């Protein structure tokens, strides 16, 4: 298949592009490089040194003989996007190209407006581009489990059957997003669903959990292919952040009570889920929703797991409960369905001590790059 990976320079997009290329697909990348620019804005960095995108794809071609084409530009610029779609005529469009941090969206008015403008406008442009130029193209959109919030009922995969005053219907599952970033994802989902309904677009919305891990088989082939690893209070996800904290003598910082429970998955499962969606496309007019995660943990559970492995490796690690910078429930019911991807062949990588140890060993090699002032949260919801 011809597949465009938008956001292909990022934490999820880069290993996805390599994986799809290795599996025989003809891959191209769209990226504006804005994530690298945000590092400069926040005076932060990837823990792992990352090569330029040009160096990365050149090394991939040298090692495998497979070419990945690069288009540097922004999805909010429709003329640019149209030219790429005309040239590539993709069978699938994998859309990672959004501002992905909840804390970043909560910094102030400007960051909230940027997040929603970038994310919603970019997705609208993709929808119009598919309609006008490549109507058979399958949109594979990265959503988030955070769209649902933490309802006191089981979360279904996109839709729920409701009986009310003697009548039944199957409706989109209620959304209770917890940040301006998560709201942008909800707006995307509504826009995609509407476009499928009126134009017959085929789309899969992957409501992904929190991703942990660093390497895939492809990114391990050479240091130039290394993936980024975020650890700061704005972009660092919980497990990766805890592992990094454990190696630099920093307390593992659990927000609030630590009972906040979410879905998680390994980066290796992220790339496999994209492949499954691409090779099993939605029908024309279908807005299909998969809950893309493999296990559920509370933040406190993760901290305990990391503490245990770090102590086995000789680190003295304490857990600190910080005042929660977010407005969220800290002790709640959480259970979400996640059967659709497994039914299509996903075999999950589960979180055990060896997975944590593997990430920890990688972190040890680069811990001199940690900017400790960036570890604690500085952004508050209130």
């Amino acid at each position: 298949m011809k597949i465009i990976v938008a956001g292909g320079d990022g934490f999820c997009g880069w290993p996805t592009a390599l994986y799809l290329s290795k599996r025989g697909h003809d891959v191209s990348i769209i990226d504006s490089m804005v994530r690298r620019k945000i590092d400069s804005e926040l005076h932060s960095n990837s823990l792992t040194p990352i090569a330029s995108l040009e160096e990365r794809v050149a090394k991939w071609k040298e090692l495998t003989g497979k070419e990945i084409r690069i288009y540097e530009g922004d999805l909010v610029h429709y003329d640019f996007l149209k030219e790429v779609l005309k040239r590539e005529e993709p069978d699938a469009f994998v859309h990672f190209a959004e501002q992905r941090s909840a804390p970043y969206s909560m910094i102030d008015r400007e960051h909230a407006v940027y997040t929603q403008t970038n994310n919603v406008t970019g997705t609208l442009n993709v929808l119009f581009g598919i309609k006008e130029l490549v109507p058979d193209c399958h949109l594979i959109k990265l959503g988030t489990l955070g769209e649902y919030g933490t309802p006191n009922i089981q979360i279904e995969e996109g839709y729920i059957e409701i009986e009310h005053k003697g009548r039944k219907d199957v409706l989109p599952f209620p959304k209770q997003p917890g940040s301006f970033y998560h709201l942008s994802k909800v707006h995307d989902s509504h826009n995609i669903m509407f476009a499928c309904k009126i134009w017959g677009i085929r789309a899969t919305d992957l409501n992904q959990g929190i991703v942990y891990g660093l390497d895939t088989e492809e990114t391990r082939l050479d240091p130039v292919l290394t993936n980024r690893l975020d650890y700061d209070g704005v972009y660092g996800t919980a497990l990766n952040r805890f592992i990094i904290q454990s190696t630099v003598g920093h307390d593992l910082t659990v927000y609030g009570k630590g009972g906040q429970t979410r879905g998680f998955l390994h980066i290796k499962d992220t790339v496999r889920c994209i492949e499954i969606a691409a090779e099993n496309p939605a029908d024309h007019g279908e807005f299909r929703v998969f809950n893309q995660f493999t296990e559920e943990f509370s933040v406190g559970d993760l901290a305990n797991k990391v503490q245990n492995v770090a102590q086995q490796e000789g680190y003295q690690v304490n857990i600190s409960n910080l005042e929660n910078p977010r407005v969220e429930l800290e002790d709640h019911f959480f259970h979400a369905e996640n059967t659709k991807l497994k039914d299509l062949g996903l075999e999950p990588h589960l979180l055990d001590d060896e997975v944590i140890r593997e990430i920890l060993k990688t972190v040890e090699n680069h811990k001199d790059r940690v900017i400790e002032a960036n570890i604690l949260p500085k952004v508050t919801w209130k």
Side-chain angles (χ1 to χ4, degrees):
M1 299 172 66
K2 292 194 75 173
I3 301 177
I4 291 176
V5 179
D9 188 50
F11 173 64
C12 290
W14 173 241
T16 297
L18 295 187
Y19 179 81
L20 293 174
S21 176
K22 181 182 178 183
R23 301 287 284 181
H25 299 291
D26 184 5
V27 177
S28 58
I29 285 173
I30 296 174
D31 206 294
S32 68
M33 308 301 158
V34 70
R35 181 64 190 89
R36 295 177 184 249
K37 296 169 189 172
I38 289 173
D39 274 344
S40 297
E41 175 200 344
L42 299 177
H43 305 289
S44 190
N45 63 338
S46 165
L47 182 80
T48 49
I50 49 174
S52 70
L53 183 56
E54 290 78 9
E55 291 170 324
R56 286 170 147 186
V57 298
K59 177 59 70 174
W60 179 248
K61 187 173 183 179
E62 175 189 324
L63 293 172
T64 68
K66 297 179 182 295
E67 180 183 13
I68 296 176
R69 294 172 297 285
I70 299 173
Y71 298 93
E72 184 171 346
D74 202 314
L75 297 185
V76 302
H77 299 141
Y78 189 53
D79 289 343
F80 160 76
L81 175 60
K82 284 200 301 183
E83 288 305 310
V84 177
L85 292 175
K86 286 177 185 176
R87 185 174 301 184
E88 290 294 326
E89 297 183 338
D91 300 300
F93 190 103
V94 180
H95 185 9
F96 289 116
E98 298 201 323
Q99 193 297 101
R100 62 176 174 85
S101 164
Y104 189 84
S105 75
M106 301 299 291
I107 291 174
D108 55 22
R109 185 195 68 82
E110 287 83 359
H111 288 81
V113 170
Y114 167 74
T115 298
Q116 296 211 358
T117 301
N118 178 80
N119 293 2
V120 176
T121 304
T123 297
L124 278 171
N125 283 345
V126 171
L127 291 169
F128 274 90
I130 290 174
K131 169 186 177 284
E132 294 176 11
L133 298 168
V134 282
D136 288 330
C137 179
H138 176 209
L139 173 60
I140 302 170
K141 168 66 165 56
L142 190 73
T144 170
L145 274 177
E147 290 188 31
Y148 300 121
T150 52
N152 198 37
I153 59 172
Q154 179 167 299
I155 297 170
E156 303 297 333
E157 297 202 66
Y159 299 90
I160 184 170
E161 184 177 290
I162 294 176
E163 183 172 351
H164 180 65
K165 295 185 177 180
R167 302 188 69 83
K168 282 185 179 180
D169 203 350
V170 176
L171 300 170
F173 197 93
K175 306 295 179 71
Q176 300 181 78
S179 72
F180 290 120
Y181 153 74
H182 290 100
L183 276 159
S184 76
K185 292 289 193 177
V186 173
H187 303 329
D188 284 341
S189 295
H190 288 158
N191 286 334
I192 298 168
M193 182 168 61
F194 183 65
C196 290
K197 178 181 177 180
I198 61 172
W199 297 331
I201 285 175
R202 53 174 74 196
T204 300
D205 202 7
L206 297 172
N207 284 339
Q208 181 171 259
I210 300 167
V211 182
Y212 62 86
L214 170 64
D215 288 316
T216 61
E217 291 181 16
E218 294 74 34
T219 63
R220 285 183 179 178
L221 290 175
D222 191 278
V224 175
L225 303 181
T226 296
N227 200 14
R228 69 174 298 123
L229 185 62
D230 296 307
Y231 62 90
D232 59 70
V234 177
Y235 276 90
T237 56
L239 184 70
N240 287 347
R241 186 164 51 84
F242 289 158
I243 292 172
I244 291 167
Q245 288 175 328
S246 73
T247 66
V248 297
H250 198 290
D251 286 0
L252 310 189
T253 50
V254 173
Y255 298 166
K257 297 176 182 177
Q260 304 94 311
T261 302
R262 304 290 187 265
F264 290 83
L265 77 162
H266 196 290
I267 187 66
K268 292 178 181 178
D269 290 332
T270 291
V271 302
R272 173 65 177 134
C273 289
I274 298 297
E275 180 187 34
I276 289 172
E279 295 184 347
N280 300 273
D283 294 330
H284 281 285
E286 181 185 9
F287 176 63
R288 185 175 64 173
V289 181
F290 294 159
N291 289 344
Q292 183 171 303
F293 73 100
T294 56
E295 296 178 278
E296 296 170 357
F297 299 105
S298 72
V299 177
D301 291 337
L302 294 180
N304 289 328
K305 284 177 173 289
V306 172
Q307 183 186 47
N308 179 54
V309 173
Q311 288 177 342
Q312 292 174 22
E313 296 298 315
Y315 293 98
Q316 294 300 311
V317 179
N318 297 316
I319 298 174
S320 294
N321 292 80
L322 301 185
E323 181 179 353
N324 196 341
R326 305 185 180 210
V327 177
E328 62 185 355
L329 295 177
E330 297 177 7
D331 185 13
H332 58 87
F333 171 82
F334 184 87
H335 181 64
E337 281 294 311
N338 63 337
T339 59
K340 292 182 180 179
L341 284 161
K342 293 176 184 176
D343 290 345
L344 290 172
L346 175 65
E347 298 178 359
H349 295 79
L350 301 181
L351 180 60
D352 58 21
D353 286 356
E354 286 309 307
V355 171
I356 296 172
R357 185 172 288 107
E358 182 181 350
I359 303 169
L360 189 149
K361 292 294 185 183
T362 301
V363 168
E364 286 179 332
N365 295 330
H366 302 291
K367 65 181 182 180
D368 60 309
R369 291 174 52 86
V370 174
I371 303 170
E372 292 199 35
N374 290 345
I375 292 176
L376 293 179
K378 299 173 183 175
V379 181
T380 64
W381 266 226
K382 292 183 179 180

